[in-house]
Amino acid sequence: MRLFTALDLPGEVVHKLESFVARIKPTARIHWSPPANLHVTTKFIGEWPNDRLAELQIALAAMRERPAIEMSIAKVGFHPNETSPRVFWCGIHAEGLETLASDTDSATASVGVPRESRAYSPHLTLARIKDRLDLQPLHTAIAAIPSLDFGHFTARSFYLYRSEMRPTGSVYTKLAEFPFSKR
């Protein structure tokens, strides 16, 4: 099974992102992510054997306690750049998120998951761009939106998800929740 760890977005943030995407979607024929699938990935685990799922969950549950993480979802951009973009993303600011990602990387490495080779870069993937297109209409639509602040929330736990590829797109299923505080 294909796994990752992530933080959920509250309904209010998802709704704002959904409204934003609905407004700009007609301007670009790119591969839009369903807003209901948006999440803040902290570790991509990849393929993991079913018979070792409990071992992975024990390693994640053993992570040290931490305070809740205040999250801010705002701004948009393109990766790797605006002239040859592959990903259209929404920004995330959250003190403590990078530490959570690092701790998750260490916990999963303890059971054999390869460590991350790149620096952690939190974002929400709003769309993937596979072809070279004229994205000026998208840029114009974004510039016309008065605020790119999609909300703030407090994360108190993270989740282990299974990702299944289907003809209609990815389907994510929560397998376990890991509260930041054990109390």
Side-chain angles (χ1 to χ4, degrees), residues 55-98:
E55 179 185 359
L56 178 62
Q57 289 176 323
I58 290 167
L60 292 169
M63 288 172 48
R64 66 183 172 92
E65 289 190 19
R66 69 192 71 247
I69 299 175
E70 298 300 321
M71 310 277 294
S72 175
I73 310 297
K75 301 181 184 172
V76 295
F78 296 89
H79 178 77
N81 57 54
E82 283 191 24
T83 56
S84 298
R86 307 306 294 155
V87 173
F88 176 49
W89 55 261
C90 182
I92 299 168
H93 176 73
E95 289 196 28
L97 185 57
E98 191 171 328

Side-chain angles (χ1 to χ4, degrees), residues 127-181:
R128 296 194 183 282
I129 304 164
K130 297 183 181 190
D131 302 314
R132 277 189 86 69
L133 303 166
D134 176 13
L135 295 178
Q136 189 54 49
L138 177 61
H139 292 289
T140 301
I142 293 167
I145 295 175
S147 173
L148 296 175
D149 180 349
F150 302 104
H152 310 272
F153 65 98
T154 303
R156 291 178 167 58
S157 52
F158 73 98
Y159 301 88
L160 176 63
Y161 277 93
R162 178 177 62 216
S163 173
E164 296 175 89
M165 298 299 284
R166 296 194 181 154
T168 55
S170 296
V171 174
Y172 303 136
T173 305
K174 280 184 195 174
L175 300 178
E177 178 178 4
F178 302 96
F180 295 157
S181 176

